[in-house]
Amino acid sequence: MTAMLSDTTAADVPAWRTEALCAQTGPEFFFPEPGGSVSEAKRLCMACEGRPACLEYALTHDERFGVWGGLSEKERQQLRRTGRS
């Protein structure tokens, strides 16, 4: 995702993150206002080669906000409940 951690240096950033399609867009697609649509973000994610790594990162790091790996917050929550596939 485009939201970078403040304590992360460029050397710490995984390749999938710097090459991801979301790195070329603004965060408003991936972190919409409450009630906002995530359809554009999800569409962009589905075309991104980094999507599987992004989703794994989000699940591993318990990302609770935004679209990661093509899934919304609620979809990731459901995936956690049912077990990773």
Side-chain angles (χ1 to χ4, degrees):
M1 275 297 298
T2 56
M4 303 299 279
L5 301 174
S6 59
D7 61 345
T8 303
T9 65
D12 296 330
V13 178
W16 67 264
R17 215 166 177 179
T18 58
E19 297 170 8
L21 294 177
C22 62
Q24 302 168 28
T25 65
E28 63 275 358
F29 284 121
F30 302 94
F31 297 93
E33 293 294 321
S37 174
V38 295
S39 61
E40 290 297 319
K42 291 170 83 173
R43 189 175 2 263
L44 191 62
C45 287
M46 291 305 158
C48 184
E49 291 181 17
R51 189 185 71 75
C54 179
L55 179 57
E56 184 62 30
Y57 175 89
L59 294 171
T60 300
H61 292 90
D62 198 26
E63 291 291 343
R64 304 246 174 141
F65 302 100
V67 174
W68 291 79
L71 298 181
S72 69
E73 301 154 29
K74 289 180 182 178
E75 291 166 330
R76 289 192 311 278
Q77 205 172 41
Q78 179 66 30
L79 188 60
R80 282 186 201 100
R81 277 195 288 259
T82 60
R84 293 184 194 182
S85 302

